[in-house]
Amino acid sequence: PDSTARKAAGRAALDTMDALLVGFGLNGDDAVKAGRSLRASLHGFVTLEALDNLGRGSHDESFEFLVDLLIDGIRATS
């Protein structure tokens, strides 16, 4: 996509992330740090999967574990 469409998609994704974090009671600097951590974790997992570098076992189960781990961490923070 062109730069304008890519920026709009990125903004929509960040707005969704912000709404999710507000739902967990996070805002301000804590929401920014949590959002960056979520994005980095999810991006890293997806990148490794796309490169076929996750290794053996169920990738779906590993992804679900990652999401649960992140949610537990956000709940502990909020």
Side-chain angles (χ1 to χ4, degrees):
D2 66 38
S3 178
T4 302
R6 189 171 48 251
K7 286 181 183 178
R11 182 76 255 158
L14 288 175
D15 289 345
T16 300
M17 182 86 62
D18 289 345
L20 175 111
L21 294 170
V22 166
F24 278 96
L26 293 176
N27 54 47
D29 288 342
D30 286 340
V32 170
K33 290 184 276 189
R36 286 179 183 152
S37 298
L38 284 169
R39 287 173 50 216
S41 298
L42 297 173
H43 179 80
F45 189 96
V46 170
T47 299
L48 289 171
E49 186 174 40
L51 295 172
D52 198 25
N53 281 334
L54 283 177
R56 289 176 256 150
S58 172
H59 296 179
D60 290 342
E61 288 179 16
S62 294
F63 185 77
E64 288 177 24
F65 183 87
L66 173 64
V67 170
D68 289 342
L69 187 68
L70 292 167
I71 289 170
D72 288 347
I74 290 170
R75 283 188 179 135
T77 301
S78 59

